[in-house]
């Protein structure tokens, strides 16, 4: 909770007087009780047991008595009542003051509400999406891109300097294969029409032909050597493959609203690899095994980490070690996140171990932010057929379906095309983010686009509904209202929910779990919708209307801020 909260300040001040604890040590103890009937804030007394040498229940009782004092009334200003309940010390505060403190802040801070400065002066490097070039972006690349993008935005909101890196898979023997295939069977024309498709075709053909012609593999090894050595023709071809791939990737990134600070792929480290290998040799870590250069990790219960093949070609892990060293030098990160699927868990364990053995203290700040698979339930995108599902197709289908639903719900909507895009893409992003990362995502179109379910469109719809309330009100929303008019329990619950938005951002970022924010937003939207169904926001009572409009507008603001942090757009009508 934020220290500047005057309620917490008062509670901390009082606890300090009666326990001798420093205020800063009291803040982390203060929480919201699970049930608002129990109070507005609660302090569990278990952590005070050691210090005060009493049972937590007794501590709670004595503190309550001490704070209320002989008069039986709270001497405090904002706290109206203190009550011991078991081992908990519960505080009741003035609700109109609570509403004032929270709503005024949301209103004043606007798009910045929820942002903080805890990351000031610190850098987070995020490695995300990172697909292999000369292949289509498949649907599993969605997860890395979407999770990485959300983490980028979350950390940024907390004041961290973020470095977003697309570590493209643009180096390695397979590009030798592709060069050979292109020289033999490729043609400009095919590459123009659907370049990535053509490249993928060449790659497949190479492997078919290589079954009968062993010399192809040797040629490919040679071609990769040429590439590593800087041969002009090889570099030219490879550059072309990369360029056409990036063009296609960028279309998808653009559709998803995802950007990167760097597209430094594996090839970027080519010139630095030798130094890395030298360091590994000097440290006595690199050993020869069947002519390949490896770091033996048997002692740690892992297979060896491969650094160089017997033909001297570098490998994925070599480039990752080198890239980590480079990033540590270049960015001096306080955290480095690798948003990569769970199937690469062993790779990350191995190469983090290598970094540790090299003596780098910053390896403790490297995190493999892993995630599960994405699966489709039924229909033409069923994964059961074993077909690779292209990300572009998924996004197209989402927008088409959203368009259908919107047409049915609101046929007169202007800008329907734009809104269908925002809703379709938003639905896909939210479906990806709204379960714990490591769980597989089962994609069911009906559910993903259900406007009444726990979905992206539901949140966007609630946001649009709020915008429409404000439009209907017509006037400017005033931050100074009579807060004592917000007497309904649903209003209180909404206010408290708005209060905890900043905390949910911190928690989502720290655990690298955007689902924390997804859940928060679903709860917020549900609270609002319940309130909206039972109470009139705009009525003849002007003062009450002003207060309720402020509450509605703050809810709109927080929904908007939250959806943007997830990487979703927020149409104002739907
Ligand atoms: N290119 C790899 C793949 O598509 C992912 C790279 C992830 N990032 C990294 N630094 N290893 O599987």
């Amino acid at each position: 909770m934020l220290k500047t909260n005057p309620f917490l300040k008062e509670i901390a001040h009082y606890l300090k007087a009666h326990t001798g604890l420093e205020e800063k040590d009291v803040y982390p103890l203060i929480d919201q009780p699970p049930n608002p009937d129990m109070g507005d804030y609660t302090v569990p007394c278990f952590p005070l047991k050691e210090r005060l040498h009493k049972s937590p229940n007794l501590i709670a009782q004595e503190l309550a008595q001490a704070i209320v004092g002989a008069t039986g009334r709270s001497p405090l200003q904002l706290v109206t009542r203190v009550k011991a309940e078991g081992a908990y010390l519960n505080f009741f505060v003035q609700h109109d003051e609570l509403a004032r403190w929270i709503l005024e802040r949301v209103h004043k801070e606007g798009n910045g509400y929820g942002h903080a400065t805890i990351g000031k002066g610190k850098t987070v490097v995020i490695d995300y999406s990172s697909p292999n070039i000369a292949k289509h972006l498949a649907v599993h690349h969605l997860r890395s891109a979407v999770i990485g993008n959300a983490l980028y935005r979350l950390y940024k909101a907390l004041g961290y300097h973020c470095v977003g890196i697309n570590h493209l898979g643009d180096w390695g023997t397979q590009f030798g294969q592709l060069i050979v295939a292109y020289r033999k069977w490729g043609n400009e024309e095919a590459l123009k029409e659907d370049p990535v498709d053509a490249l993928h075709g060449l790659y497949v053909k190479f492997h078919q032909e290589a079954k009968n012609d062993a010399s192809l593999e040797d040629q490919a090894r040679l071609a990769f050597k040429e590439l590593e050595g800087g041969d002009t023709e090889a570099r030219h071809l490879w550059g072309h493959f990369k360029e056409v791939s990036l063009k296609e990737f960028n279309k998808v990134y653009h559709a998803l609203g995802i950007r990167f600070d760097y597209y430094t792929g594996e090839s970027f480290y080519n010139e630095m690899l030798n130094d890395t290998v030298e360091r590994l040799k000097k440290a006595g870590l690199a050993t020869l095994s069947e002519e390949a250069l490896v770091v033996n990790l048997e002692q740690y219960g892992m297979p060896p980490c491969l650094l160089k093949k017997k033909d001297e070609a570098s490998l994925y892990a070599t480039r990752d070690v080198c890239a980590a060293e480079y990033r540590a030098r270049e960015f001096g990160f306080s955290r480095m996140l690798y948003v990569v699927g769970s199937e690469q868990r062993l790779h990350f364990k191995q190469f983090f171990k290598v970094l540790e053995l090299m003596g780098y203290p910053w390896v403790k700040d490297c995190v493999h932010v892993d995630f599960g698979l994405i699966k489709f339930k039924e229909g033409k995108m069923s994964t059961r057929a074993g077909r690779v599902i292209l990300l572009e197709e998924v996004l197209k289908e989402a927008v088409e379906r959203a368009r259908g639903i919107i047409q049915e719900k609101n046929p007169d909507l202007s800008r329907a095309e734009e809104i269908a895009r925002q809703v379709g893409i938003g639905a896909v992003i939210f479906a990806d983010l709204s379960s714990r990362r490591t769980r597989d995502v089962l994609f069911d179109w009906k559910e993903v686009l259900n406007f009444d379910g726990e979905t992206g469109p539901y949140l966007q719809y609630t946001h649009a509904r709020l915008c429409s309330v404000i439009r209907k009100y017509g006037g400017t929303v005033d931050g100074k209202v009579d807060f004592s008019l917000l007497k309904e329990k649903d209003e209180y619950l909404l206010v408290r929910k708005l209060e905890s938005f900043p905390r949910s951002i911190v928690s989502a970022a720290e655990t690298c779990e955007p689902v924390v924010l997804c859940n928060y937003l679903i709860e917020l939207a549900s609270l609002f919708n319940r309130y909206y169904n039972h109470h009139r926001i705009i009525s003849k009572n002007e003062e009450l209307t002003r207060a309720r409009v402020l509450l509605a507008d703050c809810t709109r603001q927080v929904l908007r801020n939250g959806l943007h942090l997830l990487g979703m757009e927020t149409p104002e009508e739907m």
Side-chain angles (χ1 to χ4, degrees):
M1 284 201 201
L2 291 168
K3 278 184 208 150
T4 37
N5 178 328
F7 303 91
L8 300 199
K9 239 188 207 153
E10 207 175 287
I11 292 169
H13 169 80
Y14 221 78
L15 282 177
K16 181 183 170 187
H18 291 279
T19 62
L21 273 173
E22 284 304 313
E23 279 180 32
K24 69 168 177 29
D25 298 322
V26 177
Y27 288 123
L29 299 179
I30 309 174
D31 208 347
Q32 275 189 24
N35 170 350
D37 297 333
M38 296 164 79
D40 301 303
Y41 292 101
T42 185
V43 176
C45 295
F46 310 98
L48 303 175
K49 194 173 138 195
E50 305 252 299
R51 185 180 185 96
L52 304 175
H53 310 290
K54 283 178 206 157
S55 78
N57 287 33
L58 193 60
I59 296 174
Q61 265 173 36
E62 289 185 358
L63 281 174
Q65 267 161 21
I67 293 170
V68 174
T71 61
R73 286 212 332 270
S74 159
L76 305 170
Q77 296 164 6
L78 297 170
V79 173
T80 54
R81 204 146 61 90
V82 189
K83 200 173 159 228
E85 196 152 326
Y88 291 85
L89 188 59
N90 295 335
F91 293 85
F92 295 79
V93 303
Q94 292 183 40
H95 281 186
D96 52 339
E97 287 305 318
L98 193 63
R100 177 201 307 283
W101 148 251
I102 294 156
L103 299 184
E104 275 186 357
R105 240 177 83 221
V106 180
H107 182 70
K108 200 174 100 221
E109 292 177 17
N111 293 344
Y113 178 65
H115 291 221
T117 51
I118 55 175
K120 215 170 153 212
K122 293 189 202 143
T123 297
V124 179
V125 171
I126 311 177
D127 178 323
Y128 57 115
S129 190
S130 309
N132 297 332
I133 64 162
K135 282 188 184 167
H136 287 292
L137 279 181
V139 71
H140 60 270
H141 290 113
L142 173 71
R143 298 219 67 195
S144 173
V146 167
I147 296 170
N149 185 50
L151 293 176
Y152 188 101
R153 290 169 181 233
L154 286 163
Y155 273 97
K156 200 165 164 161
L158 295 178
Y160 287 87
H161 169 57
C162 293
V163 181
I165 301 180
N166 193 337
H167 186 75
L168 294 167
D170 61 357
W171 212 238
T173 356
Q174 71 269 35
F175 296 102
Q177 298 168 347
L178 207 54
I179 287 171
V180 170
Y182 186 78
R183 282 175 186 156
K184 285 196 186 305
W185 311 295
N187 72 68
E188 278 286 325
E189 281 313 301
L191 214 58
K192 272 203 189 101
E193 256 170 50
D194 188 342
V196 176
D197 223 40
L199 289 175
H200 186 65
L202 284 174
Y203 186 73
V204 172
K205 184 160 174 76
F206 179 91
H207 284 279
Q208 278 166 355
E209 299 288 327
K211 277 188 206 140
N212 307 317
D213 181 357
S215 77
L216 280 176
E217 290 287 3
D218 291 333
Q219 293 175 42
R221 265 192 285 277
L222 198 69
F224 183 53
K225 271 243 144 84
E226 288 169 8
L227 195 57
E228 281 189 307
D231 175 87
T232 322
E233 192 245 359
R235 279 289 169 113
H236 177 76
L237 284 178
W238 167 84
H240 190 51
F241 301 158
K242 185 162 165 175
E243 193 187 306
V244 294
S245 306
L246 274 179
K247 227 188 208 156
E248 189 183 297
F249 296 171
N250 279 329
K251 269 194 260 163
V252 176
Y253 295 141
H254 179 76
L256 285 166
I258 291 175
R259 49 170 295 284
F260 302 89
D261 297 307
Y262 297 96
Y263 282 82
T264 39
E266 297 183 36
S267 64
F268 178 75
Y269 303 96
N270 186 43
E271 309 291 318
M272 298 171 230
L273 288 172
N274 274 341
D275 287 348
T276 295
V277 171
E278 277 315 305
R279 276 190 285 279
L280 282 157
K281 282 185 182 160
K282 263 212 191 99
L285 292 168
T287 51
L288 277 179
S289 159
E290 291 168 35
E291 290 177 79
L293 196 67
V294 306
V295 179
N296 189 320
L297 298 173
E298 205 178 347
Q299 230 184 305
Y300 310 100
M302 286 186 270
C305 178
L306 305 179
L307 298 172
K308 278 194 168 193
K309 295 198 205 168
K310 70 176 182 207
D311 63 5
E312 290 278 303
S314 66
L315 285 154
Y316 182 50
T318 335
R319 298 189 281 273
D320 253 333
V321 172
C322 182
E325 288 182 303
Y326 171 83
R327 293 169 185 175
R329 278 197 307 275
E330 198 68 13
F331 305 115
F333 53 79
S334 61
R335 254 188 143 187
M336 173 148 67
L337 312 178
Y338 292 90
V339 189
V340 185
S342 303
E343 68 282 355
Q344 290 194 30
R345 210 171 272 163
L346 178 63
H347 164 73
F348 282 96
K349 269 175 100 178
Q350 286 176 305
F351 112 75
F352 287 173
K353 186 49 114 186
V354 171
L355 293 174
E356 184 193 316
L357 295 172
M358 290 174 91
Y360 292 122
W362 43 260
V363 66
K364 66 172 192 332
D365 307 315
C366 298
V367 189
H368 175 200
V369 178
D370 58 349
F371 54 81
L373 299 172
I374 192 158
K375 293 179 185 157
F376 284 78
K377 209 169 171 189
E378 301 293 341
K380 68 176 188 200
M381 290 200 174
S382 163
T383 5
R384 257 179 293 166
R387 199 163 68 87
V388 178
I389 294 171
L390 303 189
L391 188 43
E392 235 180 325
E393 288 178 53
V394 176
L395 298 181
K396 225 162 126 195
E397 168 106 13
V399 173
E400 247 163 54
R401 285 176 182 255
R403 188 184 298 127
I405 298 172
I406 289 170
Q407 254 159 18
E408 211 173 279
K409 277 192 185 282
N410 192 351
D412 305 325
L413 194 62
S414 56
R415 296 178 49 241
E417 200 43 44
E418 163 83 351
I419 291 166
R421 184 189 62 74
Q422 295 174 316
V423 173
I425 302 281
V428 172
I429 293 177
F430 194 82
D432 187 326
L433 294 177
S434 56
S435 46
R436 286 183 69 82
R437 275 190 278 111
T438 48
R439 290 192 29 198
D440 291 347
V441 173
L442 184 63
F443 221 81
D444 178 350
W445 281 113
K446 279 216 187 73
E447 245 164 62
V448 167
L449 278 155
N450 179 359
F451 279 41
D452 301 314
E454 299 190 347
T455 63
Y458 167 71
L459 294 176
Q460 287 172 320
Y461 192 66
T462 306
H463 173 266
R465 169 182 271 180
L466 279 156
C467 289
S468 127
V469 169
I470 309 297
R471 271 197 303 275
K472 207 185 280 163
Y473 172 64
T476 26
V477 180
D478 196 347
K480 299 262 172 286
V481 302
D482 183 350
F483 291 94
S484 70
L485 298 175
L486 297 174
K487 283 201 211 39
E488 303 293 338
K489 183 163 179 190
D490 283 345
E491 290 166 337
Y492 168 80
L493 293 175
L494 255 179
V495 164
R496 290 315 298 271
K497 199 73 203 165
L498 296 173
E499 179 189 15
S500 61
F501 178 58
R503 251 186 308 153
S504 83
I505 297 177
V506 173
S507 157
E510 276 175 358
T511 56
C512 296
E513 285 285 8
V515 64
V516 172
L517 182 55
C518 293
N519 290 343
Y520 170 88
L521 293 173
I522 292 287
E523 284 162 26
L524 176 66
S526 310
L527 279 175
F528 173 76
N529 285 321
R530 196 174 67 195
Y531 173 56
Y532 185 78
N533 290 335
H534 291 103
H535 302 280
R536 295 177 71 92
I537 293 179
I538 300 173
S539 67
K540 292 234 165 63
N541 183 338
E542 267 178 48
E543 281 305 300
L544 182 63
T545 299
R546 270 162 32 86
R548 288 185 170 177
V549 163
L550 176 63
L551 177 60
D553 194 53
C554 289
T555 309
R556 175 200 61 76
Q557 183 72 63
V558 170
L559 265 177
R560 179 182 188 279
N561 294 5
L563 287 170
H564 284 191
L565 287 173
L566 296 177
M568 292 166 62
E569 291 184 53
T570 47
E572 295 187 0
E573 46 184 337
M574 265 168 79

